[in-house]
Amino acid sequence: MIQAHHIGVHIGSKALLSEVSFDFQPGRVTAILGPNGAGKSTLLSVLAGNRQASRGEVRLNSRLLTEWPADALAMLRAVLPQEASTAFDFKVREVVELGRYPHRKRPSRDEVAIVNAALAATGTLALAGRVLNTLSGGEKARAQLARVLAQVWEPEPTGQPRWLLLDEPTAALDLSHQHATLQLARAWAHARGVGVVAVLHDLNLAARYADDLLVLHQGQVVGSGPVAEQLTAELVQRVWGVACEAIAANDGTPQFLMAA
């Protein structure tokens, strides 16, 4: 698992995160929720090893994250940032192939097939020959998602669980692709045992597709645990200051109707 213990991040006297602790489980989708400025992306960057915490520690499979060599870490976890631009005119296929770079010393016998499968899974196979910077924002986002899927496509020979860390993966997508992306993430978690940690803003998407949630407010944890137990109208009112009504969808998951 990924274990965050007493994470604090400070810039000067300002605390971006304070005493954040949570155990992220493989085979489950965990949504990180909270208002703007709550510290969601900061926490994800700490979990990814891209940002050093001011205090506390993160462990991956019981080993301190700081002790993992970069190449070994890249074989186990892939990170989708909010914005992932390219300075050169890479084609979509070339961008997805970059996801296979950590495996260059021990490539799969199916490298081409992996790239094609990642493109197909995200609906970007028809875009493979296009230059990334000529695409719409949503098309770019799906191409970058294909890249991170390709990075951790195959199980590790050691049997260690793989991880997808996704920062607002649905932000640039239309409604159909929002659901398709989170359906894909959920399938990877439940069928492949991959741990998925996703920063989300849409509470209804989180309620429908996440197994667990971690709610941040002003850099502190104000709710954590299974979605069905934690995501309530009372929590939404307390954290977001929005009155709403929780109703059950056809599959039993809670959905929130905001008050007029």
Side-chain angles (χ1 to χ4, degrees):
M1 65 178 70
I2 294 179
Q3 299 168 297
H5 293 157
H6 308 292
I7 298 299
V9 175
H10 297 81
I11 296 180
S13 60
K14 180 177 175 58
L16 303 183
L17 293 173
S18 180
E19 291 295 322
V20 174
S21 295
F22 192 78
D23 290 344
F24 299 86
Q25 303 287 344
R28 296 177 71 83
V29 178
T30 301
I32 302 178
L33 306 176
N36 290 337
K40 303 182 297 298
S41 294
T42 299
L43 176 59
L44 197 77
S45 67
V46 172
L47 298 177
N50 294 335
R51 182 170 193 157
Q52 185 68 41
S54 304
R55 69 180 305 273
E57 65 180 29
V58 176
R59 291 182 177 269
L60 172 62
N61 300 338
S62 301
R63 182 180 180 183
L64 283 172
L65 198 62
T66 53
E67 295 177 351
W68 282 86
D71 56 348
L73 188 60
M75 304 263 281
L76 288 177
R77 68 96 181 94
V79 184
L80 181 68
Q82 282 188 39
E83 298 181 6
S85 60
T86 59
F88 304 100
D89 286 336
F90 287 112
K91 294 181 179 179
V92 169
R93 178 178 294 279
E94 293 170 331
V95 170
V96 179
E97 288 172 344
L98 289 174
R100 300 301 301 166
Y101 183 77
H103 304 270
R104 65 197 182 280
K105 296 179 181 178
R106 193 177 58 192
S108 168
R109 288 178 293 182
D110 302 312
E111 288 292 323
V112 174
I114 289 172
V115 170
N116 286 337
L119 288 163
T122 55
T124 54
L125 190 58
L127 304 174
R130 294 272 304 276
V131 173
L132 184 75
N133 290 333
T134 67
L135 302 182
S136 70
E139 290 169 334
K140 289 178 183 177
R142 289 188 287 131
Q144 293 290 355
L145 177 62
R147 174 182 59 78
V148 298
L149 293 180
Q151 184 175 334
V152 292
W153 190 270
E154 293 183 317
E156 269 294 286
T158 60
Q160 296 183 90
R162 294 158 290 158
W163 293 86
L164 288 170
L165 306 184
L166 313 175
D167 196 353
E168 298 191 31
T170 61
L173 302 181
D174 60 34
L175 185 62
S176 174
H177 286 112
Q178 288 177 13
H179 285 274
T181 292
L182 293 179
Q183 286 169 357
L184 181 61
R186 188 174 175 89
W188 269 58
H190 293 181
R192 300 186 182 214
V194 174
V196 179
V197 183
V199 171
L200 297 175
H201 277 291
D202 190 310
L203 302 184
N204 287 328
L205 287 175
R208 181 171 294 276
Y209 295 108
D211 301 297
D212 304 304
L213 58 80
L214 178 66
V215 183
L216 299 177
H217 184 45
Q218 296 179 348
Q220 297 181 319
V221 177
V222 294
S224 63
V227 168
E229 297 176 8
Q230 294 293 326
L231 193 53
T232 64
E234 291 76 15
L235 179 73
V236 175
Q237 171 73 57
R238 177 160 54 92
V239 175
W240 285 268
V242 175
C244 66
E245 177 185 0
I247 62 173
N250 291 336
D251 60 359
T253 59
Q255 297 289 283
F256 297 91
L257 296 177
M258 303 306 170

